Amino acid sequence: MTMRLVRTELVDSREILPGQWLQSFLAPELSSGSRAGQFVHARTGDLSGLVLRRPFSINTADPATGVITIHFRTIGRGTEWFTRLRPGDTVEMLGPLGRPFEVDPRSRHLLLIAGGLGMAGVRSLADEAINHGRQVTLLFGAASARDVYPSSLLPDEVEYVIATDDGSVGHKGFVTELVPDYEGWADQAFACGPAPMLAALARIAEGRRERLGVAKLGRKRGVGKPDVVGSTAARRKAFLQVSMEQNMGCAVGACLGCVIMGTNGVPQRVCREGPVFAAEEVAWESGW
Amino acid sequence: MSPADLSVDLGRGLVLPNPILVASGTFGYGIEYGDVVEVDRLGGICCKGTTLQPRIGNITPRVTETPGGMLNSIGLQNPGVDAVVAKYAGTWAGWKTPVIVNVAGESVEDYVEVVQRLEGVSGVAGIELNISCPNVGRGGLQFAIDAGAAGEVTAAVRRATDLPLLVKLSPNVGDVRPIARAIADAGADALTAINTLSGIALAPSRRKPLLGNIYGGLSGPAIKPVALRIVYEVSQVVDIPVVAIGGVTELADVLDFLAVGAVAVQVGTAIFADPTLPVRLVDELTDECERRGIASYAELVGTALPPKPGAPSSKGVEYRP
């Protein structure tokens, strides 16, 4: 679906974790017209001081009920404005925006990796994959038990594995340390979280082919021309796809505010070429 | 009564269907908003700043919100003039709305070369010079802060093109009037006022500036009083049209800028919050003219300016005692 301005209505708002909110909006156009990995750009009602919209990953989308959810942490006046919304309040959203995750049709086993709020970036892919009969393992990292995304908010079919920095629940350490146990099982991996986490995952993914001796997806007829950065094919063939974050202005590709550096030496717009990139499309060491 | 005449003549044949334009850097190349914006109803489109060579722009973060505004330091990321022409001019040529190409450079020769490559290109209706760029030939000082340099680059571009030429003023100067006069004297067809105000924001840790480039340009409602003051000053010292820009978010802002002498207004940052605002302002301005019973919006222009001193009156002679 092409992007449009959609008037949505808040139907539920809950603080699911300290400072983290899950809000449901009635938005049939978005719930049925979006794909996992895409986002919306929501307008705050306080126009006196807040001149920018706020981007939110589409956390879940249910075409049956017409409801989408967003999941965010209160980090400033914009997100605080959203927490004050009550059922029945309307919010104008621009969406769906950006390019989605692309699952190779042959992939049966999907590894999802989320760090903290990065859960919002991969959450809907769990639903989408299970609906398509795929197996999903979700590795989740947080600072401690009090920040762990409730398993009750995930589909039963998802295998949910937790790592915490302080070891208060699950593996003690970084979520990236769990990945080697699953890299043989997984056909593809999809991640969202802090940039250092994604960079570490990209390094793991880069060495995977040598360690496992697996063929690169989609390259059975030999190595052809490299895929264009930002193309659907580049993402679909990648073992690791990452959902990136950047300060955003327009969210449609006009202002060039939200770029990251691509391995082709050209800045890539998170809002337009992304937010989902193949890990090898991102110049992790560029410092951008 | 038929709808009021909203057309505006910026000189050298550049006639806009209405005085509401979209500002450079906020509307890409006109295509990014897709069906969300009716581009054919805009008065004009100023495209993203265009340079001779491709530029990758500044390191990130590039944007951040500030009270009533935002800071940006995109760093003129663009694919270069040849790629811009190849990729977009064909589309622009099919639009009713004039597209004004915003041009930036690091030397007078840069500007001239870019403009020469735009000359005669179907779809390019005019040029807007961004002179808030460091002038490598003058030790990196911006063209915009010096009347001599601003006049020099304007004159050079004027010699190089017959395209309608707007020059965009920077607010980051002590007195903008001598600069505006120099640009007008050098042959610009119109002035745009204002570019962004230089500012910084800090990272949450307060251990460094937030933007990758340290400095950013402030835009949005926060800068409107500054823009209003500069348009007020400039429109009294030049005879060429002034296009106002700075913090327009509603019709009242448009009317304010017209009242201090602007003949047209650019909408910028507000597009990010409300992409449909510029087209709505066209409708609201039409309604406003009807409400006031005026045949042209031009009657709204300059109403807040002090009266110009006319020729000495002869009346006093009669009454001299």
Side-chain angles (χ1 to χ4, degrees), chain A residues 5-285:
Chain A
L5 286 166
V6 178
R7 194 175 158 88
T8 71
E9 181 187 327
L10 184 93
V11 289
D12 190 41
S13 178
R14 280 182 287 161
E15 191 173 7
I16 55 170
L17 293 167
Q20 290 188 38
W21 292 71
L22 186 69
Q23 295 190 324
S24 306
F25 293 88
L26 191 60
E29 297 99 322
L30 296 170
S31 69
S32 58
S34 64
R35 286 181 57 196
Q38 291 188 297
F39 69 101
V40 293
H41 212 29
R43 187 180 186 185
T44 69
D46 178 7
L47 299 176
S48 58
L50 307 176
V51 304
L52 297 180
R53 287 172 179 250
R54 297 296 189 272
F56 298 103
S57 291
I58 298 175
N59 184 64
T60 59
D62 184 359
T65 59
V67 169
I68 66 164
T69 63
I70 61 173
H71 169 200
F72 60 91
R73 192 200 310 269
T74 49
I75 52 166
R77 291 188 304 147
T79 42
E80 276 159 19
W81 182 86
F82 279 90
T83 66
R84 292 194 296 273
L85 290 171
R86 294 291 169 260
D89 289 347
T90 57
V91 172
E92 189 200 64
M93 297 187 185
L94 179 64
L97 298 168
R99 296 183 177 172
F101 291 110
E102 295 289 349
V103 180
D104 188 285
R106 292 166 294 177
S107 292
R108 308 311 307 159
H109 301 159
L110 305 193
L111 185 64
L112 275 49
I113 307 134
L117 248 291
M119 179 64 94
V122 296
R123 172 64 189 82
S124 61
L125 183 59
D127 289 345
E128 197 176 282
I130 285 162
N131 288 341
H132 286 85
R134 298 188 165 95
Q135 290 185 38
V136 175
T137 294
L138 171 54
L139 310 181
F140 177 76
S144 77
R146 67 194 292 270
D147 305 311
V148 171
Y149 190 81
S151 58
S152 59
L153 293 174
L154 291 169
D156 292 341
E157 296 89 338
V158 171
E159 183 193 358
Y160 189 33
V161 185
I162 294 160
T164 52
D165 296 348
D166 63 5
S168 51
V169 63
H171 171 77
K172 183 178 192 302
F174 291 136
V175 68
T176 48
E177 293 159 11
L178 298 171
V179 173
D181 289 347
Y182 293 87
E183 70 169 359
W185 169 84
D187 297 316
Q188 281 186 290
F190 306 86
C192 185
M197 178 196 112
L198 298 179
L201 290 172
R203 283 192 295 274
I204 295 171
E206 208 181 340
R208 177 175 178 271
R209 193 180 179 195
E210 282 66 38
R211 285 192 300 278
L212 300 180
V214 292
K216 252 189 179 171
L217 285 167
R219 291 290 164 82
K220 287 191 171 167
R221 286 167 292 165
V223 178
K225 273 197 289 184
D227 293 302
V228 179
V229 170
S231 69
T232 302
R235 297 200 298 293
R236 186 177 292 139
K237 292 173 186 173
F239 170 71
L240 176 64
Q241 293 170 37
V242 292
S243 177
M244 302 293 289
E245 202 175 16
Q246 185 60 270
N247 286 10
M248 204 167 270
C250 70
V252 301
C255 78
L256 310 181
C258 66
V259 299
I260 58 165
M261 182 50 80
T263 42
N264 59 356
V266 178
Q268 304 292 309
R269 298 168 294 185
V270 168
C271 69
R272 199 84 183 205
E273 282 78 41
V276 176
F277 293 92
E280 52 264 37
E281 293 177 318
V282 179
W284 297 101
E285 311 299 330

Side-chain angles (χ1 to χ4, degrees), chain B residues 3 8 15 17 29 33-35 76 111 118 144 150 166 170 220-221 256 258 302 307 321:
Chain B
V8 46
V15 178
Y29 297 94
Y33 274 98
D35 299 339
L76 290 171
Y111 283 99
L118 294 168
L166 291 75
S170 168
D256 282 356
L258 295 178

